[in-house]
Amino acid sequence: MANRPNQVLLQHYGEVFNSLPMPPGESIVGDLADDLADIFGEVDRGLRWLEAGHPAEAVWEWGFGLVHHWGQGDCTISQMLTRTFSR
């Protein structure tokens, strides 16, 4: 890592998008910075709704993000970081 100071640590990672069929589906490449920015944006929108006095909208925003985006992404990111730093 010291020999590559200009590279972002863990920028891209691979995953199998749909692992249910046998054999599993094709692998895809994920972008950690992009995924984290998306999660931040969705959490931030919910916080803005909450601060504006609209808790139902905040809960909807977070629920939608969890089901349709970061619920899956968070698991993948967590697994990737755990595997990388436990070596």
Side-chain angles (χ1 to χ4, degrees):
M1 201 177 334
N3 296 332
R4 298 181 283 164
N6 294 328
Q7 291 184 351
V8 176
L9 176 64
L10 305 174
Q11 181 177 357
H12 297 104
Y13 59 91
E15 71 172 311
V16 175
F17 186 70
N18 186 357
S19 61
L20 293 177
M22 285 300 181
E26 292 185 35
S27 61
I28 62 171
V29 175
D31 185 314
L32 180 60
D34 183 60
D35 292 346
L36 292 175
D38 289 344
I39 293 167
F40 176 83
E42 291 171 358
V43 171
D44 186 57
R45 280 190 297 278
L47 288 172
R48 290 174 190 257
W49 278 116
L50 192 60
E51 290 170 351
H54 302 284
E57 285 82 355
V59 170
W60 184 92
E61 188 76 47
W62 294 328
F64 183 85
L66 178 65
V67 171
H68 296 285
H69 188 242
W70 38 281
Q72 175 64 34
D74 184 37
C75 292
T76 302
I77 293 168
S78 176
Q79 290 172 359
M80 184 261 309
L81 292 173
T82 300
R83 289 179 185 145
T84 300
F85 291 112
S86 65
R87 293 180 185 174

